[in-house]
Amino acid sequence: MNITVIGTGYVGLVAACCLANSGHQIVAVENNMDKLGQLQKGVIPIYEEGLDGIFQKVTGDGRLSFTDNIKEALVNSTMVIIAVGTPSLGDGRVDLSQVNDVAKSIVTYVERPLTVVMKSTVPPGTGRLLCDRYFDKVGMNISYVFNPEFLREGKALYDWYNTDRIVIGGDQPGIAQQVMDIYSDIEAPKVCMDLTSAEMVKYASNAFLATKISFINEIANLCEKVGADIDIVATTVGMDQRIGQSFLQAGLGYGGSCFPKDTKALDYIALVNGYKFSLLKAVIEVNAGQRIIAVRKLMESLGCLTNKKIAVLGLAFKPNTDDIREAPAIDIIDHLISEGVQVRASDPLAIDNARKRFPNQVVEFIYDPYEACEGCEAVVLATEWEDYVKLNWADIKKRMVSPYVVLDGRNSLDRQLMQELGFIYRGIGRSYQYNK
Ligand code: UGA
């Protein structure tokens, strides 16, 4: 099928590459000229494990090309996938300006029957509004469906081919089948429903996962109060198949471009619909609190933080990505700077992005994690990069100065080893160590 994909962020670019890899002919539209230039030169502007191989293959075969011209791209397309940004406006509202602009362009340039597939995360009700405002108004036959993505950054390719379900929401009969056909090589349950329910599935999925994380973080905080151990508690709770092991990793809380934005958006959506979503409000509040608890732990171990040197290992919101959006490390660094700390930060991939966030040299960025810890009283492990977990911590300690605090924000280090090495070890909810 000839498909136009609009937007080449994490979702759009992965979708474009994978659909081209399945044999579809894809034109991807990008209006940021820097990004477009990179893509046309064969350079991927984001880091996503494994994507480069597929990208080079499908662009080399001529199955994926890039343009900034929607009109031109639509000429031969029977389907258009929208994957543009829907960022937060800060108060929970979702900025739909890019979605609206694209919808306007589509109805301006469409010259043949078209299926519009929305992959951007949009609040429940948006699809019906877009149809009323734009797509149902043109003489041409335009069908509209919502087809959410459940891809994780860093694991997007794996998730594309191994998804738990493909969701297609639409109010026009028969249209779901056409969209299902583009996924004919993916074995997964394909669930069809009305438009607004599909939009709700996306928010409810992210909000539920965020709820699991905040729940386990509260249990971890309580473990510290009562002298229990979150590792054994979470693992054993997760053995109940009704609960499951995933998303029970206590730590500094969730970050990224999705959970923080989508939980706030769902809270706002509830509010404007006259419903107080108390549970979700608590999830958001607990998540913000985890970062402050981390700073408080440093204060407890170091006393006044002013003029202390602290290394922050990990800037990305999780390992295997260069994305620092809403990353716990960034908030923690903000707090530390305001306390007068000299912050030395390291990350295998995210330093360039972090430099843009802290442009005034208030943070020293150092690629080598050993060097970053030089002369520091404390180290915060903010992202559980495998390379950091496997560091030679005896060597790290030699480079640090007393009192040798390690704040393990992801409960990823061997705490017994750390204590044997002479660190003051602080985890999240790891107050008791059970020796078998
Ligand atoms: C998330 C969802 O997992 C995807 O299904 C969804 O498609 C995507 O949002 C989206 O809406 O686009 P992502 O943001 O890439 O994917 O990251 P996750 O791997 O889900 O992690 C989110 C955050 O939760 C990270 O900061 C991670 O460190 C944290 N987390 C995760 C925990 O603190 N504990 C856990 O047990 C799991």
Side-chain angles (χ1 to χ4, degrees):
M1 191 181 293
N2 286 342
I3 303 173
T4 293
V5 176
I6 303 180
T8 61
Y10 285 94
V11 170
L13 192 56
V14 170
C17 288
C18 292
L19 289 170
N21 199 35
S22 300
H24 299 288
Q25 192 64 38
I26 311 292
V27 180
V29 181
E30 176 54 59
N31 63 6
N32 176 318
M33 296 316 270
D34 287 345
K35 269 176 93 178
L36 179 66
Q38 281 181 295
L39 289 162
Q40 286 175 330
K41 274 190 225 133
V43 178
I44 299 186
I46 52 166
Y47 175 79
E48 185 58 55
E49 209 172 272
L51 190 60
D52 197 48
I54 297 188
F55 176 87
Q56 300 304 342
K57 184 173 149 223
V58 294
T59 49
D61 291 351
R63 269 177 286 144
L64 171 61
S65 60
F66 297 92
T67 177
D68 63 334
N69 190 327
I70 295 189
K71 184 178 181 187
E72 210 176 85
L74 287 178
V75 170
N76 292 317
S77 296
T78 46
M79 183 176 285
V80 56
I81 294 177
I82 303 178
V84 294
T86 50
S88 176
L89 285 169
D91 58 0
R93 278 179 303 143
V94 177
D95 177 358
L96 290 172
S97 54
Q98 293 181 56
V99 165
N100 280 307
D101 288 349
V102 167
K104 276 183 226 162
S105 299
I106 291 172
V107 294
T108 306
Y109 300 128
V110 66
E111 283 178 355
R112 55 194 290 171
L114 190 67
T115 300
V116 177
V117 178
M118 179 65 74
K119 272 197 188 292
S120 304
T121 300
V122 291
T126 303
R128 287 195 182 140
L129 275 177
L130 291 172
C131 288
D132 286 351
R133 255 190 230 152
Y134 307 107
F135 302 127
D136 291 349
K137 287 224 167 100
V138 272
M140 202 63 63
N141 179 12
I142 299 188
S143 312
Y144 177 93
V145 301
F146 182 63
N147 170 219
E149 269 316 325
F150 302 101
L151 307 175
R152 290 165 297 172
E153 278 182 39
K155 297 263 186 315
L157 287 187
Y158 176 86
D159 287 348
W160 178 275
Y161 292 108
N162 299 280
T163 184
D164 291 329
R165 75 289 205 203
I166 291 169
V167 174
I168 298 164
D171 292 343
Q172 288 136 302
I175 193 61
Q177 188 58 48
Q178 190 197 2
V179 182
M180 270 188 230
D181 288 347
I182 65 170
Y183 299 112
S184 55
D185 57 337
I186 297 174
E187 269 185 45
K190 297 182 173 104
V191 194
C192 300
M193 63 193 72
D194 65 278
L195 208 41
T196 308
S197 298
E199 290 165 340
M200 187 54 108
V201 165
K202 172 68 190 183
Y203 278 97
S205 300
N206 277 359
F208 185 74
L209 292 171
T211 303
K212 273 187 104 174
I213 297 170
S214 280
F215 179 82
I216 208 65
N217 280 334
E218 289 229 274
I219 295 292
N221 297 341
L222 197 50
C223 279
E224 289 187 9
K225 302 277 181 210
V226 301
D229 171 31
I230 190 63
D231 292 352
I232 193 72
V233 170
T235 306
T236 315
V237 167
M239 287 165 81
D240 183 329
Q241 288 182 19
R242 293 169 301 174
I243 297 171
Q245 295 289 355
S246 60
F247 285 76
L248 289 183
Q249 179 62 46
L252 299 174
Y254 58 79
S257 65
C258 304
F259 287 178
K261 168 174 85 90
D262 293 349
T263 45
K264 283 180 200 145
L266 193 56
D267 181 38
Y268 180 83
I269 291 158
L271 198 73
V272 294
N273 282 282
Y275 183 73
K276 188 175 169 218
F277 201 153
S278 309
L279 177 61
L280 194 58
K281 285 184 194 302
V283 167
I284 296 165
E285 193 188 324
V286 169
N287 197 56
Q290 285 309 101
R291 298 155 193 224
I292 295 163
I293 286 173
V295 176
R296 206 204 62 230
K297 283 183 175 172
L298 289 170
M299 287 171 169
E300 281 166 6
S301 303
L302 295 174
C304 173
L305 294 181
T306 309
N307 290 328
K308 295 276 173 8
K309 259 192 195 174
I310 299 181
V312 176
L313 300 186
L315 296 161
F317 79 96
K318 64 174 185 176
N320 303 317
T321 176
D322 61 353
D323 195 341
I324 60 160
R325 284 176 287 178
E326 305 268 352
I330 303 301
D331 266 358
I332 289 170
I333 291 174
D334 274 335
H335 283 293
L336 294 180
I337 291 170
S338 64
E339 292 293 331
V341 171
Q342 296 174 40
V343 178
R344 295 163 69 82
S346 192
D347 191 282
L349 285 179
I351 286 187
D352 286 350
N353 285 335
R355 246 190 246 284
K356 291 177 206 147
R357 172 63 171 68
F358 298 103
N360 303 325
Q361 298 182 329
V362 283
V363 177
E364 251 186 286
F365 293 105
I366 301 154
Y367 284 93
D368 180 359
Y370 292 98
E371 210 186 304
C373 297
E374 203 78 57
C376 290
E377 282 97 347
V379 176
V380 180
L381 181 73
T383 317
E384 66 278 33
W385 284 99
E386 207 183 330
D387 286 357
Y388 289 169
V389 175
K390 286 186 181 159
L391 287 172
N392 180 339
W393 285 90
D395 191 2
I396 297 263
K397 176 148 182 285
K398 281 190 208 134
R399 292 162 184 261
M400 291 174 63
V401 297
S402 173
Y404 310 107
V405 176
V406 166
L407 175 59
D408 180 2
R410 297 295 179 179
N411 286 354
S412 297
L413 302 173
D414 180 338
R415 66 186 137 160
Q416 194 177 343
L417 174 71
M418 301 310 258
Q419 282 158 354
E420 281 166 12
L421 288 173
F423 285 107
I424 297 176
Y425 176 86
R426 305 291 306 266
I428 313 287
R430 287 177 136 187
S431 59
Y432 182 82
Q433 190 158 355
Y434 175 65
N435 294 313
K436 282 179 262 182

